Amino acid sequence: MIPVMSEHGEKAVSAEHARRSRLYDYMDTPGPGRPEQAEGAARGKREFSVLLGEFRRTAVLVPVDEDGAPLTADSGGVRWFYAFSDEGALGRFAVARGEGAREWAYQRWLGARLLDAAVPAVGVPCGVALDCADGEDGMLFPPVRGIVPDAVAVDVDGGTGDVR
């Protein structure tokens, strides 16, 4: 199993040793009086918006279990749908798990379907881990405002819609 993740609600390993997601590079906020940092943050937000838009429009591979349910993992209090950009990325994931010899069933879903329909249906904080066996080439789409519907975003107060 890939470290720091557990499947279907099993107890997850501590996230202390988890590598930082590239998402953090886009989310850094500028300090007062530092225009170069503000420009970098704005550029990062634009780049992330482009990546998110591309993901939403792209059909990704979602591995499913024997009952046809999408494979997920729990880490850091969030459930993550596994998604892969192509069969090669899914194959690297299978090999990383030590399960490269078995057949992997999957479905093709639009990224938008995962974020807008599947994530809210889970009932717990949930996001999407894209190409999670590819190190820095992988991407996380966490359950935050602007990525998933506000009703299930962890950084929005459900009662008022205010950002937490």
Side-chain angles (χ1 to χ4, degrees), residues 64-154:
V64 295
D65 64 15
E66 57 277 350
D67 297 323
L71 290 182
T72 61
D74 288 348
S75 179
V78 176
R79 181 153 301 156
W80 298 94
F81 281 104
Y82 291 125
F84 300 94
S85 55
D86 55 36
E87 289 178 341
L90 176 56
R92 289 186 295 279
F93 172 74
V95 169
R97 292 172 54 102
E99 299 180 56
R102 79 169 179 89
E103 184 175 328
W104 284 75
Y106 62 83
Q107 297 175 356
R108 290 186 191 274
W109 291 13
L110 280 179
R113 179 180 176 199
L114 276 169
L115 295 173
D116 297 341
V119 164
V122 173
V124 298
C126 185
V128 176
L130 178 67
D131 297 340
C132 59
D134 289 349
E136 291 191 15
D137 290 332
M139 190 73 189
L140 293 177
F141 296 98
V144 296
R145 182 179 174 161
I147 296 177
V148 300
D150 285 356
V152 295
V154 297

